[in-house]
């Protein structure tokens, strides 16, 4: 394991600005708005701000405020933030993002979660945070070979937490991070004591009796999930799960292409302008500056047989052996149905519904997101769904036995 600090060369930033200045723009159907994809005027404005107004160095400094490391696990480089709480008995928590997210997704909640005392909260709710990027994403760099699927990433996360000296820990995931977190919980229930997710798909099993008691809200959510394919929202998923390499050429060579590919999802899966342009561009910049478009899409290819509506990979077949908390944010890409979730996950100890927020709640509604994780922490301490969580002090100096570090940018 080696300390890591982000330091993008000036020439890479200049190359980005040069490419943005020379962008070649497509035509569009008049009056189409967002129905056929990202409108040209919207993307031109965003790209111009990326070129002339956005400050990558400020974003870089915000990330570099926190301790970062790279290590090698199972042959792959893994970049992660490791932020210890000032509270020695804090609960270790691994936070996993998905696509098109990054470790920057959690920057605004790090202080709230590690130091609730300074934010008017109970110090007993504090977490030690581990925030990795899966191989293929961001500063972890590309996976070294085929086969880096959800179970393999989950196994790497288990090894990472054990290597850091955490005998008892919890997990949070959103987007693909949900699959990874649930799979890790199924693999390591003796140590991973609870999972919190902010995105869970609950497609029906096919049994008509399962749908008999659904109310109007449930049926609306089911219809919206069913429309995911019909209205084109799953287009990105089909491409990334079948031809990720072909897609990679355009997105790796064109920053406007990369920006459009990501901006569409932030527009579709969030509430209005709940994610600032700077946050959106930090996320897009990480993908661009690390050339992550193709490597991150490979994960969809690896899990193609589980897309688009499987609620969990085979390794995490319910019932989940640990307590589960589900946070539902009203403007997410799809919303779970409690009456369908509970029979599959009988260990649900917390179900929260929020009228604000969407697919990136740590960016959109950081206070709500942090409060829900603290509530989950309290539920675990009380013994809901199992034995109470004992206090734990982390090792003074974390180490990964047998792991080799390698520097990225």
């Amino acid at each position: 394991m080696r300390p890591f600090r982000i330091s993008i060369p000036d020439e890479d930033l200049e190359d980005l600005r040069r490419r943005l200045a020379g962008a070649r723009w497509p035509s569009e159907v008049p009056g189409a708005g967002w129905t056929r994809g990202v409108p040209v005027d919207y993307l031109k404005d965003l790209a111009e701000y990326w070129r002339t107004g956005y400050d990558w160095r400020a974003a870089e400094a915000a990330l570099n405020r926190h301790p970062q490391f790279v290590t090698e696990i199972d042959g792959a480089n893994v970049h992660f933030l490791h932020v210890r709480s000032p509270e020695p008995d804090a609960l270790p928590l691994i936070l996993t993002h998905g696509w098109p997210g990054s470790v920057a997704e959690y920057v605004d909640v790090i202080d709230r979660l590690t130091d609730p005392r300074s934010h008017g909260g109970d110090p007993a709710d504090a977490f030690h945070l581990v925030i990795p990027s899966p191989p293929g994403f961001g500063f972890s760099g590309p996976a070294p070979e085929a086969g880096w699927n959800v179970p393999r990433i989950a196994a790497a996360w288990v090894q990472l937490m054990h290597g850091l000296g955490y005998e008892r820990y919890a997990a949070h995931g959103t987007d693909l991070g949900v699959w990874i977190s649930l799979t890790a919980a199924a693999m390591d229930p003796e140590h991973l004591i609870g999972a919190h997710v902010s995105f869970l798909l609950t497609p029906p099993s096919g049994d008509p009796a399962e749908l008999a008691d659904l109310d109007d809200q449930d049926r609306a959510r089911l219809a919206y999930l069913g429309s995911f394919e019909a209205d084109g929202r799953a287009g990105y998923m089909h491409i990334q799960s079948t031809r990720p390499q072909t897609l990679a050429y355009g997105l790796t060579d064109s920053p406007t292409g990369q920006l459009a590919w990501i901006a569409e999802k932030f527009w579709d899966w969030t509430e209005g302008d709940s994610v600032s342009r700077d946050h959106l561009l930090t996320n897009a910049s990480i993908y661009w500056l690390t050339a992550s478009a193709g490597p991150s899409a490979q994960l969809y290819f690896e899990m193609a047989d589980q897309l688009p509506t499987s609620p969990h990979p085979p390794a995490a077949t319910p019932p989940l052996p640990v307590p589960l908390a589900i946070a539902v944010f009203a403007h997410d890409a799809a919303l779970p149905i409690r009456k369908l979730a509970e029979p599959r996950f009988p260990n649900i100890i917390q179900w929260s519904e929020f009228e604000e927020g969407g697919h990136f709640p740590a960016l959109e509604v950081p206070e709500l997101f942090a409060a829900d994780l603290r509530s989950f922490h309290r539920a675990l301490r009380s013994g809901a769904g199992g034995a109470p969580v004992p206090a734990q002090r982390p090792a003074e100096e974390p180490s990964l036995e047998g792991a080799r570090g390698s520097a990225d940018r």
Side-chain angles (χ1 to χ4, degrees), residues 31-378:
W34 286 82
T35 60
R36 299 178 182 231
V38 182
V40 172
D41 285 347
Y42 171 88
L43 201 70
K44 279 185 174 180
D45 180 67
L46 188 59
E48 181 63 13
Y49 179 71
W50 197 9
R51 185 178 75 88
T52 62
Y54 170 73
D55 185 355
W56 164 257
R57 291 302 183 200
E60 189 177 72
L63 284 165
N64 283 335
R65 281 185 54 232
H66 306 290
Q68 299 171 65
F69 302 87
V70 289
T71 192
E72 185 178 307
I73 302 176
D74 191 16
N77 281 339
V78 174
H79 163 261
F80 62 99
L81 282 67
H82 185 201
V83 187
R84 299 194 195 196
S85 171
E87 309 297 337
D89 296 330
L91 174 66
L93 175 70
I94 185 167
L95 297 159
T96 306
H97 67 81
W99 183 90
S102 68
V103 292
E105 195 171 325
Y106 296 110
V107 165
D108 285 351
V109 298
I110 289 175
D111 291 342
R112 288 179 172 91
L113 293 174
T114 58
D115 192 11
R117 186 193 301 267
S118 295
H119 293 267
D122 185 347
D125 295 337
F127 294 97
H128 300 300
L129 297 182
V130 177
I131 310 174
S133 282
F137 288 76
F139 298 101
S140 287
E145 60 189 1
W148 271 93
N149 55 17
V150 165
R152 193 166 178 182
I153 296 170
W157 279 196
V158 170
Q159 184 176 339
L160 175 62
M161 295 303 281
H162 290 188
L164 291 171
Y166 293 130
E167 296 181 0
R168 305 268 283 178
Y169 62 99
H172 160 81
T174 189
D175 192 80
L176 297 177
V178 172
W179 280 270
I180 295 166
S181 298
L182 295 182
T183 303
M187 287 179 172
D188 193 30
E190 293 183 0
H191 304 96
L192 202 169
I193 58 173
H196 178 283
V197 299
S198 57
F199 177 68
L200 185 71
L201 300 177
T202 54
S205 64
D207 181 0
E210 189 179 44
L211 307 180
D213 295 330
L214 299 186
D215 59 24
D216 289 344
Q217 181 189 68
D218 292 337
R219 292 184 182 280
R221 290 183 177 185
L222 190 59
Y224 189 68
L225 177 61
S227 72
F228 198 76
E229 296 250 14
D231 67 6
R233 286 182 294 135
Y236 78 97
M237 190 181 296
H238 288 300
I239 295 173
Q240 296 193 159
S241 64
T242 58
R243 296 294 186 270
Q245 188 63 37
T246 303
L247 173 70
Y249 295 107
L251 301 190
T252 305
D253 190 56
S254 168
T256 54
Q258 176 68 92
L259 181 59
W261 198 244
I262 288 177
E264 180 185 82
K265 300 312 164 195
F266 274 81
W267 180 86
D268 195 31
W269 297 345
T270 64
E271 179 185 6
D273 57 356
S274 57
V275 176
S276 71
R277 289 196 300 179
D278 286 316
H279 279 316
L280 169 57
L281 290 172
T282 294
N283 209 61
S285 295
I286 289 174
Y287 278 82
W288 173 258
L289 295 168
T290 62
S292 295
S296 63
Q298 297 295 335
L299 180 52
Y300 283 83
F301 187 91
E302 297 288 354
M303 57 186 294
D305 60 340
Q306 298 150 18
L307 298 171
T309 55
S310 173
H312 47 75
T317 301
L320 199 67
V322 302
L324 175 65
I326 299 170
V328 183
F329 295 90
H331 301 274
D332 207 339
L335 304 179
I337 299 169
R338 188 167 188 171
K339 289 178 182 176
L340 299 183
E342 287 179 334
R344 305 171 194 182
F345 299 96
N347 283 357
I348 295 174
I349 61 169
Q350 178 173 295
W351 184 288
S352 307
E353 297 260 353
F354 299 101
E355 295 182 359
E356 301 174 72
H359 198 63
F360 308 94
L363 282 177
E364 299 174 73
V365 284
E367 292 184 5
L368 290 179
F369 177 81
D372 201 67
L373 274 168
R374 291 176 193 158
S375 177
F376 168 60
H377 192 335
R378 290 191 292 273

Side-chain angles (χ1 to χ4, degrees), residues 1-17:
M1 184 172 63
R2 294 176 56 185
F4 177 87
R5 185 175 179 83
I6 302 169
S7 182
I8 298 297
D10 288 337
E11 54 265 32
D12 287 7
L13 300 178
E14 182 54 39
D15 176 67
L16 170 60
R17 288 188 286 267

